[in-house]
Amino acid sequence: MPLRSLRLRIFLVVLLLGMVPGFIVGASIIQNYEDRAVEQRVATVQNQLMIVANHLVSNDYLATYRSDEQVYINSRNVINAELEMIANLYEGRVMIINSNFKVVEDTYGISEGKIIISEEVIKCFQGENISHYDPEHGYIEMTTPIMDTTGEKSVIEGVMLTSISNGSIITMMEVLNRRVLLIETLLAVVVFVLAIALSVFMTRPFNRITQAIQRINSGYGDESISVPDYVETVHIVDQFNQLFQRMKSLDESRQEFVANVSHELKTPMTSIKVLADALLMEQDAPAELYREFMGDIVSEIDRENRIITDLLALVKMDKKVQDLNIAAVNINDMVELILKRLRPIARKKDVEVVFESMRPVVAEVDEVKMTLIMTNLVENSIKYNKDHGWVKVELDADHQFFTFKVSDSGIGIPEEALVHICERFYRVDKSHSREIGGTGLGLAITKSAVLLHRGTLTVNSVEGEGSSFLVKIPLTFIVS
Ligand code: ADP
């Protein structure tokens, strides 16, 4: 849709804002002039008619009784001449109507003797002066009372009904119209050019953003975009840059992960190949050697298997919250069961495992994933412990969360390693971890599972003394 273009919208808005007021002002100037011109013309003509009306009264023009006929005729002629002059001057017609609504004088000479009972005339007899402009037929009509003010009370003896042409007003209006039109055309041109310039200028930053994104998209752009023209563009660009950085770091971590996975999977394979090659090279190798090497090969295959199992578990953690299998679970029973399964391993290392539960806890969790969290933590505490050491598991809850704490008397974690231990494939001591069958994925899986439950995982450790892992999970699962 073309109207969705910002440039077109700015163009139209500027055009309308620039032109509409111009047209309104132009039209009102013309209208105003016409009203004022008509008003003025009516006032001038009324003035002159009033003077004549006074003459009419003082010369008894409308009187029926005349003392001197000759004097009357003379004065009537003078007045008629005056009326004639006014009629000519204003290209109009003047009629004098007496109190019987009879036309006693008409400058056109056609209506004398006729009766005119029109609304204007009646109103004028009632003392209301009327003027009426008819622009369509080009005339102004007005009434003037012929008022005798000599007596105690003023009496309206007759009415002058005058209509004059608006010719000169029209001529003036035409001149004015032409001028206004000229100014409006000039204004339109200026506003048009301004609208184009503004719409192009104001949308330029957006084009710049598009071009910069295109450059990045095609792979030869800068690392980040900067279009500081407007606050809005700064916001858009900031958000884009953040998104871009996130995508880049995601991509980098994916690459790193793939490299790590390949490396981790390759290591057991290399060992297997070395062992098999050695056997092949050895002619008449004794059966014991075969047995020994085969045993090593099997343990390498086990290791490969563990890595793949852990990787699959990690991939499962990347799934969405909707895929969680949430149910109310008795956490005390769950911990008991896990410890029961792990105690044989602990016994082998002569590590004592104790469980302290402050209260019975039932929480909404995914049972499989929660088991994984607890197993990983307790297993680590046994694995990275000293001989004759201890592992303490504590379970507690308040009205909102339950806490699961695993402390041990183990080897501890160096301070600088604490921030890394949840990273995939991170191991403090690679060879030691390998020896005891670690993949470096356990805590990464644990952390993901905790986050899926909207919980937190905190680690405290003193190297050489022991570590403690605290998991805090909401009792009720919050679907955001
Ligand atoms: P791994 O499979 O190697 O055990 P994890 O992700 O479970 O991998 O743990 C990462 C690293 O953190 C381990 O290699 C180990 O160095 C350290 N670690 C984990 N738990 C403990 C612990 N309870 N005591 C000391 N070190 C630990």
Side-chain angles (χ1 to χ4, degrees), residues 312-327 329 331 334 338 364-377 402 404 442 445-453 471 473 477:
L312 287 175
L314 195 64
V315 169
K316 272 197 199 137
M317 293 301 161
D318 282 344
K319 282 196 175 167
K320 309 212 166 46
V321 172
Q322 287 92 307
D323 298 320
L324 283 178
N325 201 355
I326 300 294
V329 175
I331 306 290
M334 192 177 185
I338 290 166
E364 290 175 9
V365 292
D366 179 313
E367 195 170 355
V368 177
K369 293 193 170 70
M370 193 48 67
T371 307
L372 208 60
I373 294 173
M374 293 173 173
T375 311
N376 274 345
L377 292 181
F402 75 87
F404 173 79
I445 295 170
T446 307
K447 176 99 191 233
S448 298
V450 169
L451 291 182
L452 271 180
H453 283 89
V471 177
I473 307 271
F477 186 74

Side-chain angles (χ1 to χ4, degrees), residues 335-471:
V335 179
E336 298 274 12
L337 195 72
I338 290 166
L339 295 188
K340 196 174 155 198
R341 262 192 249 139
L342 292 176
R343 275 209 174 94
I345 310 173
R347 219 167 289 133
K348 254 190 232 165
K349 277 201 77 171
D350 195 16
V351 170
E352 187 195 5
V353 181
V354 284
F355 176 38
E356 258 178 39
S357 171
M358 301 305 177
R359 64 199 77 241
V361 180
V362 175
E364 290 175 9
V365 292
D366 179 313
E367 195 170 355
V368 177
K369 293 193 170 70
M370 193 48 67
T371 307
L372 208 60
I373 294 173
M374 293 173 173
T375 311
N376 274 345
L377 292 181
V378 180
E379 207 179 337
N380 274 352
S381 281
I382 298 169
K383 277 195 310 192
Y384 300 103
N385 217 315
K386 298 168 189 156
D387 286 343
H388 321 297
W390 52 262
V391 174
K392 190 164 142 196
V393 179
E394 288 161 275
L395 183 65
D396 197 0
D398 58 18
H399 62 289
Q400 246 184 321
F401 298 93
F402 75 87
T403 51
F404 173 79
K405 190 175 172 190
V406 186
S407 343
D408 62 52
S409 60
I411 56 173
I413 302 160
E415 211 184 321
E416 64 278 7
L418 272 176
V419 284
H420 299 293
I421 54 162
C422 289
E423 287 169 14
R424 294 172 294 201
F425 296 115
Y426 182 84
R427 279 153 290 186
V428 177
D429 180 345
K430 272 204 180 221
S431 57
H432 176 63
S433 165
R434 266 180 69 97
E435 245 170 63
I436 53 176
T439 59
L441 290 173
L443 285 180
I445 295 170
T446 307
K447 176 99 191 233
S448 298
V450 169
L451 291 182
L452 271 180
H453 283 89
R454 313 228 180 282
T456 53
L457 172 68
T458 337
V459 190
N460 277 309
S461 186
V462 178
E463 203 179 355
E465 284 184 21
S467 324
S468 78
F469 289 76
L470 179 74
V471 177

Side-chain angles (χ1 to χ4, degrees), residues 4-11 195-211 227 229-230 233:
R4 283 176 60 193
S5 149
L6 179 64
R7 184 177 291 181
L8 184 67
R9 284 187 191 186
I10 294 175
F11 171 77
I196 290 185
L198 264 176
S199 62
V200 170
F201 176 74
M202 287 178 80
T203 51
R204 202 172 279 167
F206 295 100
N207 293 346
R208 272 210 288 278
I209 294 179
T210 315
Q211 282 161 8
V227 183
D229 303 57
Y230 303 133
T233 56

Side-chain angles (χ1 to χ4, degrees), residues 56 59-63 66 69-83 96 103-106 112:
L56 284 172
N59 289 303
D60 288 338
Y61 190 99
L62 293 171
R66 290 139 199 163
E69 193 67 23
Q70 194 51 48
V71 173
Y72 173 74
I73 289 172
N74 283 347
S75 63
R76 185 183 169 115
N77 283 343
V78 170
I79 289 168
N80 282 353
E82 276 175 29
L83 288 176
I96 296 176
V103 180
V104 291
E105 176 63 37
D106 174 9
E112 277 152 9

Side-chain angles (χ1 to χ4, degrees), residues 207-375:
N207 293 346
R208 272 210 288 278
I209 294 179
T210 315
Q211 282 161 8
I213 294 178
Q214 263 168 3
R215 271 201 300 277
I216 287 182
N217 246 345
S218 49
Y220 55 87
D222 298 338
E223 291 290 276
S224 63
I225 308 173
S226 161
V227 183
D229 303 57
Y230 303 133
V231 177
E232 289 79 2
T233 56
V234 171
H235 286 168
I236 295 175
V237 162
D238 274 356
Q239 290 300 321
F240 174 82
N241 285 341
Q242 277 174 28
L243 180 74
F244 186 58
Q245 285 310 322
R246 229 183 73 198
M247 275 170 52
K248 254 181 54 177
S249 68
L250 267 178
D251 194 46
E252 274 163 18
S253 86
R254 192 183 53 85
Q255 277 178 5
E256 193 191 306
F257 181 58
V258 171
N260 283 341
V261 168
S262 321
H263 177 77
E264 295 294 330
L265 291 177
K266 242 183 114 176
T267 320
M269 294 293 243
T270 317
S271 306
I272 293 170
K273 185 166 164 46
V274 169
L275 290 164
D277 274 348
L279 278 182
L280 278 179
M281 299 281 278
E282 191 94 11
Q283 277 171 9
D284 308 323
E288 297 87 69
L289 196 71
Y290 263 101
R291 191 169 294 280
E292 189 194 330
F293 276 30
M294 275 305 171
D296 289 348
I297 289 176
V298 168
S299 68
E300 287 301 328
I301 290 173
D302 282 346
R303 188 174 154 64
E304 184 94 26
N305 239 337
R306 267 201 308 279
I307 297 174
I308 292 171
T309 315
D310 278 0
L311 275 175
L312 287 175
L314 195 64
V315 169
K316 272 197 199 137
M317 293 301 161
D318 282 344
K319 282 196 175 167
K320 309 212 166 46
V321 172
Q322 287 92 307
D323 298 320
L324 283 178
N325 201 355
I326 300 294
V329 175
N330 184 324
I331 306 290
N332 296 66
D333 290 353
M334 192 177 185
V335 179
E336 298 274 12
L337 195 72
I338 290 166
L339 295 188
K340 196 174 155 198
R341 262 192 249 139
L342 292 176
R343 275 209 174 94
I345 310 173
R347 219 167 289 133
K348 254 190 232 165
K349 277 201 77 171
D350 195 16
V351 170
E352 187 195 5
V353 181
V354 284
F355 176 38
E356 258 178 39
S357 171
M358 301 305 177
R359 64 199 77 241
V361 180
V362 175
E364 290 175 9
V365 292
D366 179 313
E367 195 170 355
V368 177
K369 293 193 170 70
M370 193 48 67
T371 307
L372 208 60
I373 294 173
M374 293 173 173
T375 311

